[in-house]
Amino acid sequence: MKLEIPEYVRTLMNDLNMHGYECYVVGGAVRSMLLGLPVHDYDLTTNALPMQMKEVFKDHKTIETGLKHGTLTVLSQHHPVEITTYRKDAAYQDHRHPDAVQFTSAIEEDCARRDFTVNAFCYSDATGILDFFHGREDIEHHILRCIGDPEKRFDEDALRILRAIRFASQLDFKIEEKTKKAIFDKKDLLSYISYERIREEMKGLLQAKKCASYFDTYRSVMHVFFPEIMSIPHWDRVLAGMDRTEPDANVRMAVLLSESEDPAAILRRLKYPKQEIRLITAMIDHRHDPLTDRIELRRFLSVYSLSFDAYLNYRQALDPSFPSARVKACYEKILADNDCISIGQLQVNGADAAACGYQKEQISAILAELLNAVIEEKISNCREDLLAYMKREDH
Ligand code: ATP
Ligand code: MG
């Protein structure tokens, strides 16, 4: 079976072959090709040692950050491609990091250290697909299965527990029984894994087309790093909401945390970037805003400046009867008509307020008052009216 490998990858494989080394496309790329899914990056594996790779690619731009683990990143026609020397993992410390990286000259050993049967394919034009662990059968039956003894594999690296759940949801595969049992039996090992890595896997899971059933089935696993998940009220409604949204990780996180006591604290613990915490908590804080008419919507837009589409997606998730299409149409009208929804759009500014006798914090207060009055159509956004309003003595 011949697979389509893009030219920028093929040329690197040829370079290694010409120098007498083996090279295969490995892992996710082959899995995706077999499933007819788009490939987002191509990882290569080779028996060339790191220094030998450097020699082969001495005329290319390379990045050496992973070199001591055997990975050289080579820029090929502007694409970064990771090439890793065949490795077998030595004993593991702390359920996450192998004690030492050992290189090997046997491709089969490199495949054996990989996590799941469907992640261990290798491909080259010369050999076709190498499949030492019967991954083809598992692909056909849509099964996610650890290579080797799942308990041992999760003992070695507990992150694989979450990777299993994430891949199963992304691929819509069933987790094989022994692998599934080991996920529950070994779940406490997740306490050894850094929150950054946990967050990345959780995000992958939240972006899968349907993720709710995985949150339901593996709730007790997530409890290890997210104990609050056990006390989320209206659990079934939350799950239904998560699957109703577009697969947007932040919107779904907002749905999940809507009724939590302190969503920001949970997100900080999971090491979410500040900007994403702001986005998620803003949606939650505004979950009850009425948005029933143009005035309400203007009021909302005057304080909410983040993605409106994400917000609508969120509201729809919380309440299937939320009139998204009507609100969206109204929003577009507000933009098209350039309705005033910010102080910057007022036809007067701070200097005008100062000229009318306002001082210091009175200035921002009167401008805010004007904005409200304009939003509520009590006054029009015309300079003369605004100046007259400011000069009145009754406020
Ligand atoms: P994705 O589409 O998410 O990138 P992928 O299969 O390429 O999927 P990566 O996380 O990019 O996954 O890892 C590349 C390959 O490295 C995997 O296919 C797997 O063979 C191996 N791998 C990655 N992480 C682990 C791990 N924790 N334990 C064992 N093998 C792993
Ligand atoms: Mg990958």
Side-chain angles (χ1 to χ4, degrees):
M1 181 175 186
K2 200 157 173 169
L3 298 179
E4 284 286 326
I5 309 293
E7 177 52 30
Y8 73 90
V9 178
R10 191 175 289 278
T11 170
L12 300 182
M13 298 176 82
N14 284 343
D15 286 343
L16 283 160
N17 293 155
M18 301 248 284
H19 286 78
Y21 301 113
E22 299 169 7
C23 182
Y24 298 94
V25 179
V26 70
V30 187
R31 181 192 70 226
S32 297
M33 286 189 275
L34 287 173
L35 286 166
L37 298 171
V39 176
H40 52 81
D41 59 57
Y42 289 83
D43 294 319
L44 299 180
T45 183
T46 179
N47 61 348
L49 292 168
M51 287 306 144
Q52 295 169 325
M53 281 198 264
K54 272 183 69 175
E55 177 62 25
V56 173
F57 296 113
K58 62 177 187 291
D59 296 330
H60 285 68
K61 195 165 166 21
T62 57
I63 305 162
E64 297 189 11
T65 37
L67 207 60
K68 70 174 188 302
H69 300 110
T71 303
L72 182 69
T73 303
V74 181
L75 275 182
S76 179
Q77 299 166 25
H78 309 292
H79 299 269
V81 179
E82 287 191 0
I83 315 179
T84 305
T85 305
Y86 299 164
R87 262 169 44 184
K88 61 177 174 186
D89 289 336
Y92 279 70
Q93 56 173 353
D94 66 23
H95 307 287
R96 173 66 194 131
H97 300 102
D99 284 340
V101 173
Q102 273 181 355
F103 299 128
T104 167
S105 56
I107 180 65
E108 184 165 352
E109 282 186 323
D110 182 76
C111 291
R113 74 163 169 99
R114 294 174 184 276
D115 42 10
F116 307 110
T117 59
V118 297
N119 280 355
F121 298 113
C122 296
Y123 174 82
S124 74
D125 283 345
T127 60
I129 293 174
L130 303 185
D131 173 18
F132 300 106
F133 304 100
H134 312 291
R136 289 295 283 272
E137 263 170 56
D138 286 340
I139 285 258
E140 254 165 55
H141 298 106
H142 289 196
I143 286 176
L144 193 83
R145 182 196 312 266
C146 276
I147 294 176
D149 172 15
E151 296 215 354
K152 204 166 139 254
R153 302 310 308 281
F154 294 156
D155 258 329
E156 288 171 356
D157 178 359
L159 186 66
R160 292 172 187 153
I161 294 172
L162 279 189
R163 285 175 60 86
I165 301 170
R166 191 255 295 179
F167 278 116
S169 70
Q170 280 179 338
L171 301 170
D172 195 16
F173 276 24
K174 197 167 151 26
I175 302 181
E176 173 272 333
E177 278 314 310
K178 278 200 191 120
T179 303
K180 184 167 176 175
K181 181 171 180 308
I183 288 178
F184 287 104
D185 290 348
K186 294 290 176 182
K187 66 180 190 319
D188 291 330
L189 295 177
L190 280 169
S191 60
Y192 289 90
I193 303 298
S194 76
Y195 283 115
E196 285 86 348
R197 289 183 176 273
I198 287 176
R199 179 201 61 216
E200 283 314 295
E201 293 305 326
M202 288 298 282
K203 277 191 169 179
L205 172 59
L206 285 162
Q207 273 159 3
K209 224 188 207 159
K210 298 272 173 209
C211 68
S213 69
Y214 294 88
F215 275 84
D216 198 27
T217 307
Y218 298 101
R219 195 176 180 187
S220 66
V221 175
M222 296 175 195
H223 169 260
V224 176
F225 52 86
F226 178 12
E228 298 88 345
I229 197 167
M230 301 314 285
S231 48
I232 287 177
H234 314 301
W235 182 240
D236 288 339
R237 221 191 298 160
V238 168
L239 293 179
M242 287 170 78
D243 273 354
R244 215 169 14 242
T245 64
E246 301 292 316
D248 175 319
N250 288 331
V251 170
R252 281 179 168 166
M253 199 55 167
V255 175
L256 191 64
L257 300 183
S258 279
E259 302 299 328
S260 297
E261 231 162 72
D262 191 350
I266 297 171
L267 295 169
R268 277 196 300 273
R269 175 166 8 102
L270 288 172
K271 302 271 190 268
Y272 265 68
K274 282 206 179 73
Q275 222 182 333
E276 289 179 39
I277 297 181
R278 225 165 56 99
L279 174 66
I280 295 168
T281 54
M283 289 193 270
I284 296 174
D285 291 345
H286 288 277
R287 70 190 180 284
H288 296 310
D289 285 21
L291 313 194
T292 36
D293 56 26
R294 188 155 170 166
I295 290 179
E296 290 294 352
L297 186 52
R298 281 193 209 122
R299 208 194 304 278
F300 168 81
L301 293 170
S302 71
V303 293
Y304 192 97
S305 55
L306 301 164
S307 161
F308 191 64
D309 281 336
Y311 178 77
L312 285 185
N313 192 5
Y314 169 69
R315 290 295 298 263
Q316 184 94 62
L318 293 186
D319 172 9
S321 67
F322 182 79
S324 277
R326 183 162 61 67
V327 176
K328 176 84 192 230
C330 184
Y331 168 74
E332 276 163 0
K333 212 147 176 13
I334 287 174
L335 293 193
D337 294 349
N338 201 16
D339 282 9
C340 177
I341 49 172
S342 68
I343 285 180
Q345 286 169 285
L346 286 172
Q347 294 299 317
V348 289
N349 59 23
D352 298 317
C356 292
Y358 293 87
Q359 291 171 357
K360 295 183 189 154
E361 59 277 9
Q362 290 173 333
I363 295 179
S364 48
I366 187 68
L367 292 176
E369 190 178 323
L370 284 175
L371 177 61
N372 268 336
V374 169
I375 283 176
E376 288 168 12
E377 299 173 3
K378 291 189 178 136
I379 173 175
S380 70
N381 187 17
C382 106
R383 192 170 161 76
E384 246 169 54
D385 292 0
L386 296 171
L387 288 172
Y389 184 98
M390 285 202 285
K391 284 177 188 153
R392 266 166 41 197
E393 306 246 308
D394 58 346
H395 51 77

